[in-house]
Amino acid sequence: MARSAALQRRQVLVLLTALSALAFMDRQIIAVLIQPVKAEFGLSDLQIGLVTGLGYALTFALIGVPLGRRADRGGRRNLVAWCRGLGGLLAALGGAASGFWTLMASRAGGAISDAGAAPASMSMLADLYPPEQRSRAMSVFGTGGSIGALLAMVVGAWLAQRYGWRATVVLVGSSTLGLSALLRFGVTEPARAAVPTAPAALAAAELQGGAVGAIWREPVTRWLIVAAACALLAGYAFGTWNTALLVRRHGLSLQGAGWVSGTAALASVLGGLAAGALTDHLARRDLRWQIGVPMLGVGIALPCALAYLALPVGAIAPAVALVTAFAFFITWWAAPAYAALSLIVPPQRRATASAMLMLAGAVLASGLGPILTGGLSDVLEARLPGDGLRIALACMVGMLLPGLFAFARVRATYPAAHRALHPAALPR
C-alpha cells in the first residue's frame, strides 16, 4: 500500500513537472525568436522587452494572488488543468500576430498558466511529500523551468529555422492541452494536511489584513519574497537576452546559440536537482542550511555571470563553460526557497504565499527585467556600439547582490519561524 502511494505521488510529480516544462517552453520561446520577430516587425530592443515581459507581468499582477487564494480554498487539480490548458491555447494565438500589440497580448496566456497552476501545484506537492523530502520534490518540479528552457533553446530553435517562428509559437503553445486533460481526468485531488494552530503573531496579522497581510508582515516570508524577486530578476533578464547576445557579440547562428543556451539549461536541471538533494541532507543537521544552500548557489553564480560578460568577442569555449556554471548554480535558490515557504506558512495559506513570491518575480523579473534590459541596451548601444546589451545584462545580474543580503536576513530568522509552526520538531 505504501509503495503504491509512493508511486502515485511520483506520477503526479512527473505530470506536474511536465506541464511546468511545456508552459516555461512557451514563455521562453520568444527569447529564442527575438531576432526573426524583431526583423519581421521592425521592433526595437525596448519593444522586444515589452513583448517578452509586460503582457505576462500585467496579467499575473491582476490574477496571481486571487488564484492562489482560490487554490487554498478549493480544488487544486482542476485549477492546474484548466489554467495550463487555457494559457497554452491563448499563447498559441501568437502565431497569428500582426504586429507589436497583438504579439504582446498573446504573451498573457503564459501568465494565466503560471498564476493559476504553479502555486496550486506546489501546494499539492507539499501535501504529497513529507517535510524531509520536500526540497527534493520541489527541486524536481523546479526542473520544469529548466527543461522548458532547454526545449525552447534546442527544439524551438530547430523548429524556427525549419518552419518559421509563427508555426513554432503555435506548436509550443498548444502542446499543453493533452497533458492538461490527463491531469484533470487521471489524477485524484490529494488530501490536505491538517491545519496546525498558527502562532499568535501570525493569527493577529491575519485578522488585520487577511492572508496576504499576514504573510507579508512576517519578516521571514517578506525577506524570502524579496530575495526570490532579486534572483528571478537577474535570472530572467539573463535567460531572455543571452541568446541574442551570443548571436550579436560572438557571431553564432540562431541554432548555434540555441545549443549553447540548451547546454546551460541542461546544467540548470542538474543544478536544481543537486540543490534539492543537498538541502534535504544538510537541513537535517542544521535548519539554516535550508537557506544556506540558496546563498551558496547565488554567491557562486554571480562571479560566473560577470566573468562571462567580460569575455572578448569570439571566446566561445570559455563562454560555454561560464554560462554552464552560472546556469548550474543560479537554480540553487529555487527549490529550497519554495520548500522553506511551505514549512513556515500554514497549509491553508501555502498557495497564496507561493503566488505572492511568484507575483514579485512576475512583475519585477518577467515584467520589468526584459524591459529594463532592452531599454538600457538601446541607450548604451547609442553610446557604446556593440556593448550595449552586454553592459545592460551585467547591471541586471548585479541584482544578485541585494538578493544575497535578503537571503542572509531569512537565514537568521528561519529556524525560529520553523519551530513556531512545528513546535514538536527537534531543536536545531
Side-chain angles (χ1 to χ4, degrees), residues 200-215:
L202 195 59
E206 180 154 357
L207 288 175
Q208 294 176 26
V212 173
I215 292 165

Side-chain angles (χ1 to χ4, degrees), residues 24-336:
F24 199 89
M25 181 184 182
D26 171 69
R27 282 179 57 193
Q28 194 71 14
I29 196 65
I30 292 298
V32 177
L33 305 174
I34 281 177
Q35 294 302 111
V37 170
K38 181 177 180 177
E40 179 171 334
F41 294 138
L43 304 179
S44 68
D45 278 353
L46 176 58
Q47 287 176 306
I48 288 292
L50 291 169
V51 166
T52 55
L54 186 61
Y56 179 92
L58 290 178
T59 305
F60 201 112
L62 289 173
I63 66 176
V65 172
L67 286 178
R69 295 294 293 148
R70 174 66 180 81
D72 280 332
R73 294 170 176 170
R76 296 161 292 182
R77 177 204 61 185
N78 291 356
L79 187 63
V80 173
W82 280 107
C83 288
R84 290 296 193 202
L86 179 60
L89 187 61
L90 290 175
L93 295 177
S98 59
F100 168 71
W101 290 106
T102 50
L103 186 63
M104 187 173 72
S106 74
R107 293 292 91 198
I112 294 174
S113 176
D114 281 341
S121 297
M122 287 184 278
S123 177
M124 290 173 66
L125 294 174
D127 284 332
L128 287 169
Y129 284 87
E132 65 272 13
Q133 299 177 16
R134 202 167 292 166
S135 291
R136 193 171 302 180
M138 293 292 185
S139 73
V140 173
F141 178 71
T143 62
S146 300
I147 293 171
L150 175 62
L151 292 173
M153 300 299 175
V154 178
V155 179
W158 180 82
L159 287 172
Q161 289 206 165
R162 191 173 183 87
Y163 300 108
W165 73 266
R166 292 182 182 273
T168 301
V169 167
V170 173
L171 287 170
V172 172
S174 59
S175 60
T176 61
L177 297 177
L179 286 181
S180 297
L182 179 60
L183 177 70
R184 169 62 182 83
F185 298 106
V187 170
T188 302
E189 173 79 16
R192 293 183 185 268
V195 179
T197 302
L202 195 59
E206 180 154 357
L207 288 175
Q208 294 176 26
V212 173
I215 292 165
W216 185 250
R217 284 184 178 88
E218 280 294 298
V220 64
T221 50
R222 183 171 64 248
W223 281 110
L224 189 57
I225 290 170
V226 171
C230 292
L232 285 166
L233 177 59
Y236 274 115
F238 190 92
T240 299
W241 286 100
N242 187 49
T243 297
L245 181 70
L246 288 167
V247 172
R248 295 181 195 180
R249 181 169 177 79
H250 296 292
L252 297 182
S253 67
L254 185 63
Q255 190 167 2
W259 277 107
V260 175
S261 298
T263 301
L266 179 59
S268 67
V269 172
L270 299 176
L273 293 173
L278 183 63
T279 302
D280 278 344
H281 175 71
L282 293 177
R284 293 191 189 101
R285 304 179 182 179
D286 189 334
L287 284 173
R288 290 173 296 181
W289 277 111
Q290 190 73 40
I291 308 301
V293 170
M295 291 182 65
L296 182 61
V298 169
I300 297 174
L302 176 58
C304 289
L306 294 177
Y308 163 71
L309 294 170
L311 288 174
V313 174
I316 304 300
V320 174
L322 287 169
V323 166
T324 302
F326 171 78
F328 182 84
F329 288 107
I330 192 60
T331 58
W332 276 34
W333 73 268

Side-chain angles (χ1 to χ4, degrees), residues 386-397:
D387 284 327
L389 181 56
R390 181 172 68 94
I391 298 173
L393 279 176
C395 294
M396 293 299 105
V397 168

Side-chain angles (χ1 to χ4, degrees), residues 180 198 235 327 358 363:
S180 297
M358 293 188 68
V363 174

